[in-house]
Amino acid sequence: TMDKFRMIFQFLQSNQESFMNGICGIMALASAQMYSAFDFNCPCLPGYNAAYSAGILLAPPLVLFLLGLVMNNNVSMLAEEWKRPPGRRAKDPAVLRYMFCSMAQRALIAPVVWVAVTLLDGKCFLCAFCTAVPVTALGNGSLAPGLPAPELARLLARVPCPEIYDGDWLLAREVAVRYLRCISQALGWSFVLLTTLLAFVVRSVRPCFTQAAFLKSKYWSHYIDIERKLFDETCTEHAKAFAKVCIQQFFEAMNHDLELGHTHGTLATAPASAAAPIPPDGAEEEREKLRGITDQGTMNRLLTSWHKCKPPLQLGREEPPLMGNGWAGGGPRPPRKEVATYFSKV
């Protein structure tokens, strides 16, 4: 079972773009389903209809947009790249803009669907603009001028609520509902058309005019993502090797202490034999994975230096040794001394 979950997780990591597109599609369908299940209750009061409708139209899309950003794994990568010190690697604003635009495009799908469905349904628009219906053109225009403005607003505010509307003598409710829903649906289809054209321009036309800059931003955005994943994998591999060697050393030390305590009373007069310790199978391989980082202080300095002073993007160049909290020294790195130890099993 764990192997199956691991295979699924690796597949999602290798196909992150397709996975995020699927998540955005699911969120878009969920937003439409949420609206269909939502019980819209207009307050039918002159001072509250517009505020209630604006909240229904704007608050859920904002929540869906934030959820789309939170569910995107690249948000933390963008924040880290934006806030990191320049060090020996300059930050490119074009790459940051490309990363943000890529995330924002996916996160905007669900909010756009919510706004489009709300306008096409017409209830929200009807509740918000029922007091703006032209009574003189659609209703009994001879009676409208004789009503005070507050009384007229009170009557029109009840148009979305058929159970309490009592102004049929002034304006037929069905006429006002059809008028406002027609305008709302026209706005909804216009919104869908504009967003579709904008998405087409952004996804298809824009790279044709700025192809070189687009390719550069796309390449280095992918590089930052891959570099971060490889660094995390290397740190995970090092942590596993560090923990394994540390536990092995602890058990070996405890075994040695127990053996000394056991033979101290029975073999007090016997000469002490200093036998060379036999490393367990795979110990040398685990030590190679440590890459020379064998204590907590050195590892902390390495992590701090990776954040504060990442290496420049120039391959085939010797880096100065790691000193303190950053990279220091301008000369070549001193040669590493290699020591080979041979063990013989008796």
Side-chain angles (χ1 to χ4, degrees):
T1 304
M2 293 302 297
D3 293 338
K4 293 181 179 179
F5 281 113
R6 189 179 296 108
M7 292 176 59
I8 295 174
F9 181 71
Q10 291 176 354
F11 173 78
L12 294 178
Q13 280 189 329
S14 60
N15 299 271
Q16 185 178 7
E17 185 173 359
S18 300
F19 174 68
M20 290 307 304
N21 291 335
I23 290 293
C24 293
I26 292 174
M27 289 187 63
L29 294 177
S31 64
Q33 187 66 25
M34 285 170 55
Y35 182 82
S36 62
F38 177 71
D39 188 13
F40 186 88
N41 292 315
C42 184
C44 295
L45 294 173
Y48 298 91
N49 285 11
Y52 179 80
S53 301
I56 296 300
L57 183 65
L58 300 178
L62 179 60
V63 173
L64 292 172
F65 177 73
L66 295 178
L67 285 177
L69 292 180
V70 169
M71 296 181 65
N72 197 317
N73 296 328
N74 294 331
V75 173
S76 57
M77 180 181 65
L78 174 61
E80 179 182 348
E81 183 67 17
W82 178 44
K83 295 296 294 183
R84 71 170 177 85
R88 303 181 64 189
R89 181 188 300 180
K91 293 186 288 186
D92 190 354
V95 176
L96 298 178
R97 287 194 300 268
Y98 174 83
M99 294 169 61
F100 177 77
C101 291
S102 299
M103 292 185 297
Q105 288 174 15
R106 294 187 175 95
L108 282 173
I109 295 177
V112 166
V113 171
W114 177 276
V115 174
V117 172
T118 303
L119 292 176
L120 291 175
D121 183 66
K123 294 179 182 178
C124 187
F125 190 86
L126 172 64
C127 181
F129 295 97
C130 58
T131 56
V133 175
V135 180
T136 56
L138 301 178
N140 194 346
S142 61
L143 298 178
L147 288 176
E151 182 65 19
L152 180 62
R154 185 188 67 82
L155 287 175
L156 295 179
R158 295 181 178 183
V159 170
C161 306
E163 62 276 3
I164 63 174
Y165 180 68
D166 55 354
D168 287 323
W169 56 270
L170 178 65
L171 174 66
R173 180 182 177 277
E174 188 65 23
V175 174
V177 170
R178 287 178 178 271
Y179 173 78
L180 292 175
R181 282 193 171 179
C182 178
I183 297 176
S184 179
Q185 290 178 359
L187 292 176
W189 285 115
S190 300
F191 177 77
V192 172
L193 178 61
L194 289 177
T195 52
T196 304
L197 290 177
L198 181 62
F200 173 77
V201 171
V202 171
R203 299 287 292 180
S204 302
V205 179
R206 184 180 62 87
C208 298
F209 294 98
T210 58
Q211 184 66 19
F214 176 77
L215 290 177
K216 292 178 184 178
S217 301
K218 184 177 181 180
Y219 175 86
W220 291 115
S221 174
H222 291 334
Y223 171 83
I224 293 172
D225 184 23
I226 296 173
E227 183 188 55
R228 185 191 184 195
K229 291 179 180 178
L230 291 178
F231 182 78
D232 291 340
E233 293 175 1
T234 305
C235 289
T236 302
E237 182 182 1
H238 183 276
K240 290 181 179 179
F242 193 96
K244 190 172 183 178
V245 173
C246 185
I247 293 172
Q248 288 176 352
Q249 290 181 353
F250 173 77
F251 275 91
E252 290 174 2
M254 289 297 297
N255 186 28
H256 182 66
D257 292 342
L258 292 175
E259 289 179 356
L260 288 180
H262 178 70
T263 58
H264 183 268
T266 57
L267 301 176
T269 58
S273 59
I278 301 176
D281 295 338
E284 288 299 322
E285 182 181 355
E286 296 297 333
R287 291 184 181 275
E288 289 179 359
K289 294 180 180 179
L290 294 177
R291 293 176 174 82
I293 310 297
T294 57
D295 61 275
Q296 184 179 10
T298 305
M299 190 64 197
N300 290 338
R301 290 196 298 271
L302 183 144
L303 295 175
T304 303
S305 299
W306 177 259
H307 170 69
K308 291 185 176 181
C309 193
K310 289 186 178 180
L313 300 176
Q314 183 175 357
L315 303 181
R317 177 180 177 182
E318 289 291 333
E319 296 295 335
L322 183 62
M323 302 291 293
N325 291 331
W327 297 92
R333 180 178 297 177
R336 180 184 297 177
K337 296 182 179 180
E338 298 182 357
V339 179
T341 305
Y342 300 91
F343 297 93
S344 60
K345 297 184 179 181
V346 180

